[in-house]
Structures are given as C-alpha cells and as structure tokens.
Amino acid sequence: MSIRAVRGATQLDVDQADHLLERTAELMREVLRRNGLGADDVISIFLTATPDLRSAFPAAAVRGIGITDVPLMCAQELDIDGAMPRVVRLMAHVETSLPRDEVRHVYLHGTTVLRDDLAGDAR
C-alpha cells in the first residue's frame, strides 16, 4: 500500500450553498469511484475555493457524504486575474495499491482546462 495524492476540481454555475455542496460532494464521490477507494482509504483532504465562492465551506460537503474522521482543510485559492471563476479544487491523500501513473484525477464541469494533462476521462 502506498500513499498517493489525487487531484480534482469542479466549477459551479452560481455561488449558492446547496449548489456548492452538491458539486463538491459529486467531485469527492468521483475521486473515490474512479480510483476504487472507500472512505477508509482517505488520509486527509485539502480543499480550495476561488474568492468568488462564499456561500459554504467545501469541507461540509465531504463530511456530508460520510467522510467524517479524516483531517480536512479549506483555503481560498489565489485571486489571479483571468483565472476560471467559481472553482472548488481538492487534493486528497489516500492509501492505495495503484501505481502513481494509474491514479485518476477528476476534473468536472469544464475544469479539464485547468489540468488537461491529468484529467484522463473527465467530463
């Protein structure tokens, strides 16, 4: 078993709490599903949100899907001119037997442009 980092992002249509929680939960579920992981495989998760997202903490969505006993941290993404708006990003540290080159990073709702080299079969 190795420790690996899995990256991902999703873009919101609007800054509304329910929408932010729904999109963040979807992102976390996809990270788990695409990598064959369960909640017990997660070590920690670092989440960021762009400065235009203020309606809810992304970590609340992760807790809402049952990942309640791992360290989570939220931070604000850098406010760079021209950056994609309304984006939640995550980096999850997980225990997995997958080799590094088989880890599947997840980019949803238009965010593949952020890291198309990592996105794989993102939608």
Side-chain angles (χ1 to χ4, degrees), residues 41-113:
D41 299 316
V42 179
I43 297 168
S44 65
I45 305 169
F46 184 67
L47 298 126
T48 66
T50 51
D52 52 1
L53 295 177
R54 296 186 147 126
S55 61
F57 289 104
V62 175
R63 298 266 185 247
I65 64 169
I67 300 175
T68 58
D69 61 350
V70 301
L72 302 178
M73 181 176 282
C74 291
Q76 187 177 78
E77 192 68 37
L78 294 173
D79 191 9
I80 304 297
D81 288 338
M84 181 179 279
R86 300 177 314 280
V87 174
V88 173
R89 292 173 174 86
L90 72 73
M91 182 168 56
H93 297 97
V94 300
E95 289 184 308
T96 180
S97 58
L98 290 173
R100 185 173 295 159
D101 64 348
E102 290 182 24
V103 171
R104 296 178 67 201
H105 305 281
V106 178
Y107 290 82
L108 304 176
H109 303 287
T111 60
T112 56
V113 298

